Amino acid sequence: MKPPKFSYLAPESVKNAIAMKQELGENARYIAGGQSLVPMMNFRVAAPSALIDLNGLTELSKVSLSSDSALNIGALTRTRRLENDPKITGAHPLLAAAARHIAHAQIRNRGTIGGSIAHADPAAELPGIVLACDAEIELQGPRGFRTVHAVDFFESVFTTALEEGELLLNIKFPRWPKDRKWGFQEVSRREGDYALVGIAAWFDLDATSSISACGLSAIGAADTPVRLTKSEAALLGSVPSLPLFEKAAAEVTADIDPFDDVHASAIYRCEVAAALAIRTLTEAWERDT
Amino acid sequence: MSKSYIGKSIRRLEDKRFLTGTGKYIDDVKLPGMASMAILRSPHAHAFITKIDMKSARAMEGVIDVFCANDLEDELPEIPLRLAPFTDFQRFLQKPLANKKVRYVGEPVAVVVAEDRYIAEDALELICLEVEPLPAIVTVQDSLKGETLIHDAAGENIGTQYSVSRGDVEAAFKGAFYTRREHFRTNRHGAVPLETRGLIAEVEPTKPLLRLHGATKVNFFNRRHLAEAFNLPESSVELIETDVGGGFGVRGELYPEDYLVPIASYRSGRPVKWIEDRRENLSATNHSRDITCEMEIAATADGNILGMRASVQGDMGAYIRTNGGVVPSKAAQFLPGPYRVPSFACDVQFLITNKTPVGTFRGPGRFEANFCRERMMDLMADDLNIDPAVLRHRNLLTPEELPYRIGELVPGDPDATLDKGDYPSALDRLLTECRYSDWIDKQDPSDGKLRSMGIACFIESSAAGPPESASITVLSTGDIEVRTGASSVGQGTETGLAQICAEYLDIEIERVEVSHGSTTLVKTGGGTFHSRNTVMAGNATRIAAKKVKEKAKELAALRWNCHPTELTYENGEVCKSPDRFTLQELATFAETRGDILSADAIFDNEKKLSYSYGAHAAQIALDITTGLVKVERYWLTEEIGRALNPAMIQGQAVGGVIQGLGGTFLDHFIYDDDGQLLTGSFADYLLPTSSELPEITAIALENFPSELNPMGFKGAGEGGIVAVAAAVGNAIARALKPYNISINELPLTPDRLREALRGAESLK
């Protein structure tokens, strides 16, 4: 389990990194936390000719609130910081809660939010959160800067809207109202394993206590994280109640398309996704915000 | 004696170096001029090799040697049978490199020796292996059909088969009030120690010498066979033991690599290192536990067992390795367990398949047998409406019935007898600890989870095999050196033997240093398996210490010009009041005479086994919606005769439970229909971690010291694991009783539980 030979480059700026990538071409890879790429290299599943190491680019690990209260998280921000930095946990408690389910502390210390999103494992937590929360993913590439909405970002297993040479700069989460209800639940074989299936949910209530806005997503339930639009439609405009949640959960299977693997069958994932939807919405509803 | 160490929870002497990172494991050993070896392993489960093109690999810079079976002048030896060597097995022995045919994914095909491991792995990618694929046999059913033969010359895929029995089982079933038949399965999984295997071979061209670092477990047996294989006198083969990060049965057996690394060293003339990586480890190191058991029980209306009959099928993988037929044969032998089973019959079949070969893993056959039998006991308890603990009490052998002859249930093994003990009281102690009589299975209103408790009883044999050696030397520095032929695989052997030595020599334990395993330390040794070390090496150490005391007296008698019988020994000194000589003084005196203050000892228990016994209880919480089970509390009692070091025994029991929980819920080698291993990395082969641990209460009982060794020890290394699947399976079955779901197959995964529940719910 030793990787084949590769060259190593440490760019000094984003611009520099992109230029290196452009020069080295498709076989070069950006590396951030390396928590997925390095094992793949050791298994020789990935054999990049060169690694462009982003870890020195401090400009990529900034966390800030913009004037519209959107939360900007630099791509190089470590997963561990998502759960611990008060700037993030206060501004986006759902993100912080989901981050705690990712692997183990040692891995969270190295792994980055941008790495997880760019890697696009369909069972990973962070892609599910950006999708549920309508985050904007900011990219910089040889042809300049662009923004991709999370809904358009995840295309298939390990496949995203990132184009050759593009680098994930920043994830922009829209304003998180203080009294927003939210929940996150997943089932995994062991604590820290990839989710067999998981559900993220949030909703806002209007003056009549009806659901005025909501976002639900499922992970481990298809070849990408999935936005549960049919469940959302079932919730919108209604007053939260267990029967309402059950009605919304009944729509989950219409949006997902899970697979069999050695850990669980597609049927398992379907039924547990629906059950978790009820639990997640209940968790959200019972949350004292 | 004033210094008392036996029975004390002495802190482990080896822990300082382990915890501070100064242990010396095999990969820490670096020799000058050392080359690195990597192995091309078959990616096919079953295929004829048509061509191995090694040209480009050989041409690569930094590559020293590339070879396959065809390149070797001498025919490769077969890996020998060490245990349960049933005669038919000779047809299925493995050679270190595949020749003409590959029979499992992971089988060594070619070897690369290079300047470093990176280059070696690069070169592996350049070897072109061409094959003609054959159908893969991945189930015992297909193996039995024999439509495709894995070893053509054998003419069948049945490794061997036999029947064993005692009493008149036909008669027992004929008249029985109650009978039940069930099909059980324990899944293929393995020991998976955290340190993978590794070896370094060095040969000295000027004299016949083969030195192999990284050896452990059964070094003297392995030396004998390696000497034979390499046509060397035994004295020219040295097996050197380093620190070992877990054995559990799999480490230290002879594997293909134990031959390939020396061959690589001979060919290249350089020391050669091979470190098994995790990907190799999961397909190259022995698998275990892969048993199906069709079992039937007959009993009276009161639940008194009249008879058991069973057929056990073991999936042995592609070859029979050193452990022979241990796993299925012990599963059969231990099926009746601690109970009064007047008649018993079992057919045992060993089937060859296109999978990694099977060997022993902590509690081999026992883990499997306990799961089958103890599940059956609970099913019978429910059928007859008898409390599971009461039913067990009715059937447990009583102290008056022990010793109890269980008969010759393994062909070629001597007639076996359960030694003295009190099985019911070990169960009673467990029931008290877990407050069994107060416990009520229920759906908890607080979280909707089903909470229940399951129990299981077990017996576990220990200390089989050849005699063990120990030698004690008092150095002129005053330090005491203990050497033994037994190995340490991390379980605390150094501490345990130091305790015994210090106690019997009546000295500070800090003065004792224990060296173990290497064939250069002692003349002979039995090795480390079957919970042997404390029983065998412990008693040998005691004998050696006593001899050292006698020798010390003889030396002192020379100094004082008196007779040794006039002298006493206390506090590490020989006394002739008011004068005294310390051991150090006597060692120095011995040196001046060209002598040495030391003694060798051998302990032989004449293969009489001591049986530990006890009971386990698991309290679980089951989330019926997700099928997730949490073991919330776990208890076990284990009669071990006498506790040498209670803290270490506690560690063995707790570690055993954790490893058993892995086997119950997580560990699983899954193969697809083509014989590909689907759980070939730690992303998919799941080991238990600290996150999954319940609170574990492990109670070692010392009520019945073994009468089969002077110190009264029984083995204590395996009682923690052997009944875990049984107790947890029973707890889950109790929780799901209303659904009438069979919990007969391991592992108990959320997916499987949900699948069973779906079936049950749809019937409702």
Side-chain angles (χ1 to χ4, degrees), chain B residues 393-683:
Chain B
H393 258 300
R394 274 182 202 162
N395 288 288
L396 282 174
L397 290 161
T398 62
E400 295 73 35
E401 289 170 289
L402 297 174
Y404 182 84
R405 233 189 104 239
I406 58 172
E408 196 197 312
L409 295 181
V410 178
D413 268 18
D415 215 71
T417 298
L418 305 179
D419 57 338
K420 281 187 185 174
D422 186 347
Y423 299 172
S425 75
L427 173 59
D428 282 336
R429 178 68 191 275
L430 175 90
L431 299 177
T432 307
E433 289 294 332
C434 71
R435 302 172 67 99
Y436 181 81
S437 52
D438 297 338
W439 175 263
I440 300 162
D441 293 340
K442 61 174 181 293
Q443 180 153 24
D444 214 313
S446 69
D447 58 6
K449 289 183 178 161
L450 301 172
R451 283 193 166 70
S452 64
M453 187 184 283
I455 59 169
C457 295
F458 74 93
I459 51 171
E460 166 61 18
S461 61
S462 64
E468 191 53 85
S469 66
S471 122
I472 297 178
T473 304
V474 182
L475 305 176
S476 55
T477 58
D479 291 339
I480 318 288
E481 193 174 75
V482 179
R483 297 167 164 214
T484 176
S487 293
S488 174
V489 288
Q491 76 276 52
T493 297
E494 291 169 34
T495 307
L497 299 187
Q499 283 179 257
I500 292 170
C501 176
E503 169 126 352
Y504 280 96
L505 290 183
D506 204 2
I507 52 165
E508 301 293 337
I509 194 168
E510 290 74 18
R511 290 170 60 188
V512 183
E513 179 150 6
V514 177
S515 318
H516 45 78
S518 303
T519 57
T520 48
L521 294 170
V522 283
K523 291 191 196 79
T524 180
T528 295
F529 52 96
H530 203 226
S531 299
R532 261 174 60 100
N533 269 13
T534 299
V535 180
M536 304 301 290
N539 276 288
T541 302
R542 169 183 159 275
I543 297 168
K546 289 190 145 186
K547 285 165 99 175
V548 163
K549 281 197 284 194
E550 291 315 308
K551 175 120 190 215
K553 281 192 201 170
E554 284 164 23
L555 287 163
L558 286 173
R559 291 288 299 270
W560 281 318
N561 199 18
C562 66
H563 197 270
T565 49
E566 295 168 43
L567 306 178
T568 57
Y569 184 97
E570 60 178 42
N571 204 20
E573 296 167 330
V574 179
C575 311
K576 181 167 173 281
S577 198
D579 299 323
R580 46 191 58 223
F581 282 120
T582 64
L583 282 180
Q584 183 175 8
E585 287 166 333
L586 292 168
T588 309
F589 172 62
E591 271 183 18
T592 62
R593 295 170 47 85
D595 195 2
I596 181 165
L597 177 46
S598 90
D600 296 340
I602 295 281
F603 177 71
D604 186 357
N605 67 347
E606 293 158 351
K607 304 200 172 181
K608 288 194 189 112
L609 308 187
S610 295
Y611 287 78
S612 61
Y613 54 85
H616 288 213
Q619 177 197 315
I620 60 117
L622 193 163
D623 180 346
I624 201 147
T625 310
T626 59
L628 284 175
V629 178
K630 184 171 169 52
V631 178
E632 297 189 311
R633 291 209 59 185
Y634 204 94
W635 300 262
L636 72 118
T637 57
E638 184 186 12
E639 171 66 56
I640 55 162
R642 183 180 184 193
L644 171 57
N645 183 319
M648 292 203 315
I649 284 158
Q650 173 95 2
Q652 284 294 317
V654 169
V657 170
I658 295 164
Q659 207 165 25
L661 290 172
T664 305
F665 291 114
L666 298 168
D667 290 65
H668 197 179
F669 289 121
I670 301 173
Y671 283 85
D672 70 9
D673 293 343
D674 298 324
Q676 292 295 329
L677 178 61
L678 300 181
T679 51
S681 81
F682 275 171

Side-chain angles (χ1 to χ4, degrees), chain B residues 109-121:
Chain B
V109 172
V111 171
V112 172
V113 181
E115 293 299 337
D116 66 42
R117 177 77 183 216
Y118 290 85
I119 298 170
E121 290 194 27

Side-chain angles (χ1 to χ4, degrees), chain A residues 16 44 59 70 72 101-102 117 145 159 167 175 184 196 214-215 232 234 237 248 253 260 263 268 279:
Chain A
N16 191 202
R44 297 188 175 224
E59 58 195 289
N72 292 287
H101 287 267
I102 299 170
I117 291 166
F145 177 89
T159 309
L167 183 58
R175 189 184 75 90
F184 182 83
L196 296 180
C214 65
E232 290 173 9
T253 45
D260 291 323
H263 299 300
Y268 177 92
R279 288 188 183 179

Side-chain angles (χ1 to χ4, degrees), chain B residues 1-150:
Chain B
M1 270 181 274
S2 52
K3 307 258 184 333
S4 170
Y5 291 102
I6 295 174
K8 300 277 169 61
S9 291
I10 305 294
R11 283 201 183 175
R12 298 195 343 154
L13 305 177
E14 42 281 77
D15 280 353
K16 188 173 176 189
R17 69 173 191 273
F18 292 159
L19 295 174
T20 56
T22 52
K24 195 169 192 183
Y25 297 91
I26 183 59
D27 203 21
D28 298 319
V29 179
K30 294 178 172 69
L31 301 178
M34 191 169 72
S36 183
M37 181 180 123
I39 297 166
L40 180 73
R41 294 178 184 278
S42 172
H44 309 281
H46 197 193
F48 285 120
I49 299 171
T50 51
K51 193 179 174 193
I52 306 174
D53 184 347
M54 299 175 286
K55 228 180 289 157
S56 334
R58 282 179 173 141
M60 200 172 156
E61 201 189 328
V63 170
I64 299 161
D65 188 16
V66 183
F67 63 91
C68 65
N70 276 339
D71 296 311
L72 302 175
E73 283 171 28
D74 300 330
E75 193 168 337
L76 284 161
E78 283 172 337
I79 300 171
L81 284 165
R82 185 170 62 83
L83 302 172
F86 306 131
T87 44
D88 295 343
F89 283 166
Q90 295 296 340
R91 302 171 296 167
F92 301 99
L93 301 187
Q94 183 174 12
K95 290 188 174 186
L97 280 172
N99 193 4
K100 297 190 181 79
K101 200 176 182 189
V102 290
R103 297 183 172 89
Y104 64 94
V105 169
E107 179 165 8
V109 172
V111 171
V112 172
V113 181
E115 293 299 337
D116 66 42
R117 177 77 183 216
Y118 290 85
I119 298 170
E121 290 194 27
D122 289 345
L124 288 185
E125 296 205 321
L126 298 182
I127 299 175
C128 183
L129 171 67
E130 288 175 23
V131 302
E132 188 185 303
L134 293 162
I137 304 295
V138 294
T139 64
V140 289
Q141 292 79 10
D142 282 347
S143 171
L144 258 180
K145 276 186 212 151
E147 285 163 8
T148 300
L149 291 180
I150 297 172

Side-chain angles (χ1 to χ4, degrees), chain A residues 183-225:
Chain A
F184 182 83
Q185 302 244 345
E186 70 170 48
V187 169
S188 59
R189 295 291 303 277
R190 300 171 303 183
E191 195 174 313
D193 281 337
Y194 274 110
L196 296 180
V197 65
I199 300 283
W202 59 266
F203 57 82
D204 297 332
L205 300 176
D206 63 16
T208 66
S209 292
S210 302
I211 295 176
S212 56
C214 65
L216 270 80
S217 71
I219 56 172
D223 62 355
T224 62

Side-chain angles (χ1 to χ4, degrees), chain B residues 171-347:
Chain B
F173 273 83
K174 213 170 185 182
F177 169 85
Y178 172 83
T179 63
R180 180 159 183 156
R181 187 187 178 105
E182 288 290 326
H183 186 78
F184 296 102
R185 176 149 196 216
T186 55
N187 65 300
R188 176 173 278 252
H189 60 281
V192 194
L194 279 193
E195 189 200 14
T196 56
R197 292 181 296 137
L199 294 163
I200 301 169
E202 47 176 336
V203 293
E204 282 189 25
T206 51
K207 55 181 173 181
L209 176 76
L210 165 60
R211 190 178 291 130
L212 195 59
H213 304 260
T216 190
K217 186 174 179 176
V218 282
N219 294 326
F220 288 87
F221 173 91
N222 291 353
R223 179 177 70 169
R224 192 157 68 244
H225 283 274
L226 288 173
E228 205 177 294
F230 289 95
N231 200 18
L232 293 168
E234 267 191 65
S235 55
S236 296
V237 179
E238 295 179 359
L239 268 60
I240 308 297
E241 185 162 297
T242 54
D243 281 328
V244 172
F248 311 116
V250 297
R251 179 83 189 263
E253 293 291 344
L254 287 173
Y255 285 89
E257 297 82 2
D258 292 70
Y259 300 83
L260 297 178
V261 181
I263 290 170
S265 183
Y266 272 116
R267 286 173 60 94
S268 63
R270 290 174 58 170
V272 172
K273 175 188 263 189
W274 166 74
I275 299 292
E276 183 183 53
D277 68 27
R278 186 60 69 188
R279 177 160 50 171
E280 293 182 285
N281 172 260
L282 294 175
S283 68
T285 290
N286 288 343
H287 291 180
S288 199
R289 303 272 199 254
D290 199 347
I291 291 290
T292 53
C293 176
E294 186 79 23
M295 182 182 181
E296 230 178 330
I297 196 163
T300 66
D302 294 332
N304 291 308
I305 298 170
L306 297 169
M308 279 181 194
R309 60 187 170 201
S311 72
V312 168
Q313 290 180 321
D315 179 336
M316 304 305 292
Y319 297 94
I320 304 291
R321 279 192 183 152
T322 53
N323 298 130
V326 168
V327 175
S329 70
K330 289 291 160 182
Q333 186 193 18
F334 277 81
L335 265 185
Y339 302 117
R340 191 182 308 103
V341 180
S343 66
F344 173 70
C346 192
D347 302 326

